[in-house]
Amino acid sequence: QVQLVESGGGLVQSGGSLRLSCAASGRTFSSYVVGWFRQAPGKEREFVGGISQSGGRTWYADSMKGRFTISRDNAKNTVYLQMNSLKPEHTAVYYCAAGLLLATGARYDYWGQGTQVTVSS
């Protein structure tokens, strides 16, 4: 069982940066891939990016490449989402999720409660 808690969200001006954190409980956190997702008002949840168990590999949705960076520190049981050059369209609730990497892709079984990011123009 893994419990996830996101933090670091808030209000930022357009062009600014934020770093979100996803803190996990459980001694086996390093066994899980972690993904970041977001859900804007009135829209479906969308995938932002993910990171492998060791942190050696990351992958992103095409629209997120170059602006968002995911990293992890397994000693601290924490995964980060660095977001730069933010725009109002990045306003959303951001979630982290942990799961297993299967042959068909990642299956995210554990979810955090989300953290609100609001970008003002």
Side-chain angles (χ1 to χ4, degrees), residues 4-7 20-24 29 34 36 77-80 96-97:
L4 305 173
V5 178
E6 302 95 335
S7 62
L20 306 183
S21 297
C22 172
F29 179 64
V34 175
W36 283 96
N77 273 10
T78 303
V79 173
Y80 304 98
C96 65

Side-chain angles (χ1 to χ4, degrees), residues 10-116:
L11 176 64
V12 62
Q13 288 188 334
S14 183
S17 299
L18 279 176
R19 188 177 78 159
L20 306 183
S21 297
C22 172
S25 64
R27 293 175 294 175
T28 60
F29 179 64
S30 59
S31 300
Y32 295 96
V33 295
V34 175
W36 283 96
F37 297 78
R38 69 182 186 186
Q39 187 165 20
K43 296 186 177 181
E44 293 187 352
R45 185 176 63 196
E46 64 175 335
F47 176 73
V48 173
I51 189 166
S52 63
Q53 295 91 323
S54 67
R57 189 166 68 93
T58 54
W59 54 94
Y60 302 91
D62 286 343
S63 60
M64 314 296 175
K65 291 179 181 178
R67 191 185 306 276
F68 293 172
T69 303
I70 299 172
S71 61
R72 72 189 293 166
D73 184 344
N74 284 337
K76 296 182 178 180
N77 273 10
T78 303
V79 173
Y80 304 98
L81 175 64
Q82 178 68 43
M83 306 185 294
N84 298 325
S85 301
L86 288 166
K87 298 180 179 180
E89 52 262 41
H90 297 128
T91 294
V93 177
Y94 285 73
Y95 301 88
C96 65
L100 300 177
L101 192 59
L102 308 176
T104 53
R107 186 190 73 199
Y108 297 103
D109 296 316
Y110 306 102
W111 292 81
Q113 83 290 347
T115 185
Q116 176 71 47

